[in-house]
């Protein structure tokens, strides 16, 4: 069986396209706070939202115990992202 590297890892046209989409999104944004958060995220050395097994188990239990979100609550969350 032949093994190959993922094409995305070395595909410069994909990487350039991703950079272009980021630049376009930045150009469309006038929210200084959002831009600052993006900048900080790009310079972080850790992955956000990474949990230990214990933290994930607790988060999952709390999520399951909290029940389902209403349609209105879901729309409000997506509205924050402009969707």
């Amino acid at each position: 069986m032949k093994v190959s590297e993922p094409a995305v890892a070395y595909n410069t046209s994909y990487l350039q396209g991703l950079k272009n989409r980021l630049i376009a999104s930045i150009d469309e944004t006038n929210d200084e706070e959002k831009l600052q958060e993006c900048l900080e995220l790009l310079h972080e050395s850790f992955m956000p939202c990474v949990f230990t097994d214990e933290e994930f188990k607790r988060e999952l239990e709390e999520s399951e115990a909290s029940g389902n979100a209403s349609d209105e609550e879901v729309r409000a969350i997506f509205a924050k992202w402009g969707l």
Side-chain angles (χ1 to χ4, degrees), residues 2 7-8 24 44 50 57 67 72 83:
K2 258 186 148 176
V8 173
E44 288 293 331
V50 175
K57 183 178 179 184
E72 185 177 307
L83 301 173

Side-chain angles (χ1 to χ4, degrees), residues 65-77:
S66 70
N68 295 326
S70 69
D71 287 344
E72 185 177 307
E73 291 170 320
V74 171
R75 279 193 288 278
I77 293 295

Side-chain angles (χ1 to χ4, degrees), residues 6-66:
V8 173
Y10 301 105
N11 186 338
T12 56
S13 63
Y14 174 80
L15 183 59
Q16 189 58 52
L18 180 58
K19 288 179 180 181
N20 291 342
R21 290 192 303 277
L22 282 167
I23 291 168
S25 294
I26 290 167
D27 287 343
E28 293 173 4
T29 302
N30 293 320
D31 184 339
E32 183 178 347
E33 185 177 328
K34 187 183 285 189
L35 289 170
Q36 184 62 43
E37 289 175 8
C38 290
L39 180 64
E40 290 169 6
L41 182 61
L42 286 171
H43 291 282
E44 288 293 331
S45 60
F46 66 94
M47 178 63 72
C49 300
V50 175
F51 298 101
T52 65
D53 288 343
E54 295 80 23
E55 290 170 331
F56 179 73
K57 183 178 179 184
R58 186 174 62 247
E59 187 70 27
L60 183 59
E61 289 169 352
E62 290 174 4
S63 295
E64 289 174 340
S66 70

